[in-house]
């Protein structure tokens, strides 16, 4: 257990060699997490589809509390493990997936249009965050053993992110209205501005706005020659393009069903 939590090495670390990104151990582990999240999201979403909004919201409340509890535990534990009380600066919820630590509680506890916007945000980015944070997490699985605190904790919270998004869709909680698209854009741009400011201030790489760090973002980073201007703008542009494509697919499906707002 000391090795699992990275306590066998001074200031935190593992004695085992990482199996590697896209090793069979990595792929098996993240596939089990993603399949579990998808199946639970579908099964519970179908079960609750005809239930009241209050009953559906209980699932989101549990998801939000569990997500935030794991995130908070990670921040505190990594400060303890590294013997650095300022380690929290490297673990703020400013990645696309960990930002659900803010969006999920908003979806669970807010009301009115703010709640609808948060539900849309979670449903749009939940599955993408799950896939990028599991299959695409070369920065994690290239550095830590698969069965380690860093990767297991990360895998679970990314699974919760994907589960919540699928549950919101299947249970019928997502609105995805045309008049709310600008709110989703603003939420994302605001988070990117905060992440970039944090990166410049503490020298980190939130939202992967500074470099790819072994993730698929390296493709864009290399394509623009590591430009400190074009690269972060390209990352934000990809996010916005994904939102537009997501809404476009939803509206196309609704139009075919004759139920577009």
């Amino acid at each position: 257990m000391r090795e699992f939590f990275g306590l066998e090495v001074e200031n935190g670390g593992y004695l085992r060699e990482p199996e590697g990104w896209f090793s069979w151990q990595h792929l098996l582990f993240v596939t089990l997490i993603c399949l579990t999240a998808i199946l639970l999201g579908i099964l519970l979403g179908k079960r609750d589809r005809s239930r009241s909004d209050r009953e559906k919201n209980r699932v989101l409340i549990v998801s939000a509390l569990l997500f935030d509890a794991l995130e908070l535990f990670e921040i505190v534990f990594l400060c303890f493990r590294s013997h650095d009380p300022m380690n929290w600066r490297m673990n703020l919820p400013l990645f696309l997936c960990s930002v659900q630590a803010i969006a999920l509680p908003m979806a669970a506890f807010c009301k009115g249009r703010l709640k609808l916007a948060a539900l849309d945000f979670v449903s749009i980015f939940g599955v993408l965050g799950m896939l990028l944070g599991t299959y695409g997490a070369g920065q994690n699985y290239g550095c830590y053993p698969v069965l380690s605190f860093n990767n297991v904790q990360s895998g679970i919270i990314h699974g919760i992110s994907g589960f919540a998004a699928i549950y919101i869709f299947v249970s019928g909680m997502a609105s995805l209205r045309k008049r709310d698209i600008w709110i989703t854009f603003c939420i994302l741009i605001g988070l990117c501005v905060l992440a970039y400011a944090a990166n410049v201030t503490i020298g980190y790489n939130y939202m992967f706005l500074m470099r790819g760090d072994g993730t698929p973002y390296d493709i864009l980073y290399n394509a623009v020659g590591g430009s400190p201007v074009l690269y972060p703008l390209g990352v934000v542009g990809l996010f916005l393009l994904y939102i537009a494509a997501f809404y476009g697919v939803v509206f196309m499906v609704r139009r075919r069903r004759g139920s577009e707002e």
Side-chain angles (χ1 to χ4, degrees):
M1 291 303 294
R2 286 182 59 83
E3 168 64 9
F4 172 81
F5 283 102
L7 298 174
E8 290 293 295
V9 176
E10 187 177 0
N11 296 327
Y14 302 96
L15 298 176
R16 291 168 292 152
E17 289 291 325
E19 293 85 352
W21 185 36
F22 270 69
S23 64
W24 70 264
Q25 294 95 334
H26 165 221
L27 294 177
L28 175 62
F29 178 67
V30 300
T31 297
L32 289 174
I33 287 176
C34 292
L35 286 178
T36 300
I38 292 169
L39 288 175
L40 283 176
I42 293 173
L43 292 175
L44 294 181
K46 285 186 174 181
R47 182 200 68 179
D48 296 347
R49 190 168 183 84
S50 59
R51 295 186 177 183
S52 67
D53 289 341
R54 184 175 181 180
E55 290 176 303
K56 295 175 185 178
N57 203 55
R58 289 174 184 166
V59 176
L60 293 185
I61 291 174
V62 172
S63 299
L65 293 177
L66 182 58
F67 193 107
D68 281 17
L70 288 170
E71 282 282 85
L72 181 60
F73 177 76
E74 180 195 33
I75 292 171
V76 174
F77 177 73
L78 292 181
C79 286
F80 162 78
R81 191 177 75 176
S82 65
H83 307 293
D84 179 7
M86 300 303 292
N87 187 273
W88 60 269
R89 296 178 302 173
M90 312 301 180
N91 293 282
L92 296 173
L94 290 175
F95 284 108
L96 186 60
C97 45
S98 59
V99 80
Q100 301 293 2
I102 301 171
L104 257 177
M106 287 175 60
F109 295 105
C110 290
K111 297 183 183 298
R113 197 168 183 182
L114 187 59
K115 181 182 184 70
L116 293 178
L119 285 169
D120 287 354
F121 190 88
V122 174
S123 63
I124 290 170
F125 286 103
V127 174
L128 178 65
M130 178 178 70
L131 296 177
L132 289 178
T134 53
Y135 289 101
Q139 79 284 3
N140 269 18
Y141 292 95
C143 297
Y144 312 122
V146 170
L147 295 181
S148 62
F149 171 78
N150 292 73
N151 283 332
V152 171
Q153 186 271 351
S154 175
I156 292 174
I157 64 169
H158 284 97
I160 294 173
S161 173
F163 160 78
I166 294 169
Y167 178 82
I168 288 170
F169 259 111
V170 177
S171 66
M173 297 184 76
S175 59
L176 293 171
R177 301 178 301 186
K178 284 184 177 180
R179 62 178 179 270
D180 291 336
I181 295 178
W182 69 273
I183 300 178
T184 306
F185 279 133
C186 288
I187 291 174
L188 178 67
I189 292 173
L191 291 170
C192 287
V193 169
L194 288 175
Y196 191 81
N199 291 338
V200 173
T201 302
I202 65 177
Y204 203 51
N205 191 26
Y206 287 117
M207 286 277 193
F208 299 103
L209 291 174
M210 312 305 284
R211 57 192 177 276
D213 274 356
T215 68
Y217 292 112
D218 273 334
I219 299 174
L220 175 61
Y221 187 84
N222 294 330
V224 298
S227 169
V229 176
L230 294 179
Y231 173 71
L233 289 177
V235 172
V236 176
L238 287 175
F239 290 154
L240 298 179
L241 183 62
Y242 171 75
I243 293 175
F246 195 98
Y247 273 101
V249 171
V250 170
F251 295 152
M252 182 176 65
V253 171
R254 285 178 177 174
R255 187 179 299 114
R256 289 183 176 180
R257 292 179 177 177
S259 59
E260 184 180 18
E261 293 185 11

